[in-house]
Amino acid sequence: MEGFACKPENNNRFIATKGTRHMMYPTLDSLFEAIKTGAVGLSFSLPTYGGDEPLNAPEIWSWDADRYMVGTCAADLTLVPRDQWAGDVKLED
């Protein structure tokens, strides 16, 4: 099922910041809820909502200025404040 697909270890991620999904889900919270309910599947083209882009963090699917949406698949997806994220994240300069 697309909504419960697990993320591959290595990826060359393409993030779409504009488009249909961004208009349908105008906030990270609305996107998160849509994924958790199965209305949207995890993909490499999820919209983002501001803040520095994390690099080399394949478990981060989307973000806003304050939080990351992280998990290995839709079942364990969660929103984590940036300052509480325990993973190694390099930010784009």
Side-chain angles (χ1 to χ4, degrees), residues 32-73:
F32 175 78
E33 189 63 32
I35 292 170
K36 293 301 278 185
T37 61
V40 172
L42 290 178
S43 75
F44 299 126
S45 62
L46 292 175
T48 61
Y49 302 92
D52 293 330
E53 178 179 354
L55 301 176
N56 301 323
E59 63 277 10
I60 297 176
W61 291 88
S62 186
W63 57 88
D64 64 13
D66 302 314
R67 299 165 299 165
Y68 296 125
M69 184 168 57
V70 300
T72 58
C73 58

Side-chain angles (χ1 to χ4, degrees), residues 7-14 44 56-61:
K7 191 170 191 176
E9 300 253 340
N10 299 317
N11 68 72
N12 293 318
R13 172 144 114 173
F14 171 76
F44 299 126
N56 301 323
E59 63 277 10
I60 297 176
W61 291 88

